[in-house]
Amino acid sequence: MSKVLDAMDACASCGITANDDIKLKICTACKLVRYCSVKCQKDHRSKHKRACKQRVAELRDEILFQQPESSHLGDCPICCLPHPVD
């Protein structure tokens, strides 16, 4: 687990770690990797592209197929519109 935390605290391209002077920016698409600069992000893009697209698809699926938190009793489970009360 510490290896994962170490990876999140370092630039995915050059490996520089975050400190007071360097704030790492996270990949806005997959939120899995961090970069110290736009140059490092561009340099690492070819290596990261496939994993990034896969993670974005996983995140999209999680959101799409997530069960609603509240009960929708009386609502259509497909469109969430209320059923008419007869």
Side-chain angles (χ1 to χ4, degrees):
M1 176 101 173
S2 64
K3 207 174 222 186
V4 173
L5 292 176
D6 291 342
M8 288 300 290
D9 291 336
C11 176
S13 182
C14 67
I16 197 167
T17 56
N19 58 39
D20 292 337
D21 297 330
I22 299 172
K23 302 289 184 205
L24 298 178
K25 293 143 192 83
I26 197 162
C27 175
T28 56
C30 70
K31 299 176 179 28
L32 287 178
V33 297
R34 296 175 185 247
Y35 299 103
C36 64
S37 66
V38 173
K39 181 187 181 307
C40 278
Q41 184 178 11
K42 287 180 181 179
D43 291 347
H44 192 252
R45 179 70 183 149
S46 61
K47 297 174 194 148
H48 176 62
K49 189 175 182 177
R50 176 177 274 168
C52 185
K53 284 185 176 187
Q54 182 178 357
R55 178 64 181 149
V56 168
E58 290 170 2
L59 290 171
R60 185 189 68 236
D61 289 346
E62 286 176 17
I63 292 168
L64 278 175
F65 297 109
Q66 187 176 40
Q67 294 296 321
E69 290 181 19
S70 62
S71 174
H72 293 289
L73 297 176
D75 293 349
C76 173
I78 297 171
C79 65
C80 296
L81 293 175
H83 290 288
V85 178
D86 293 310

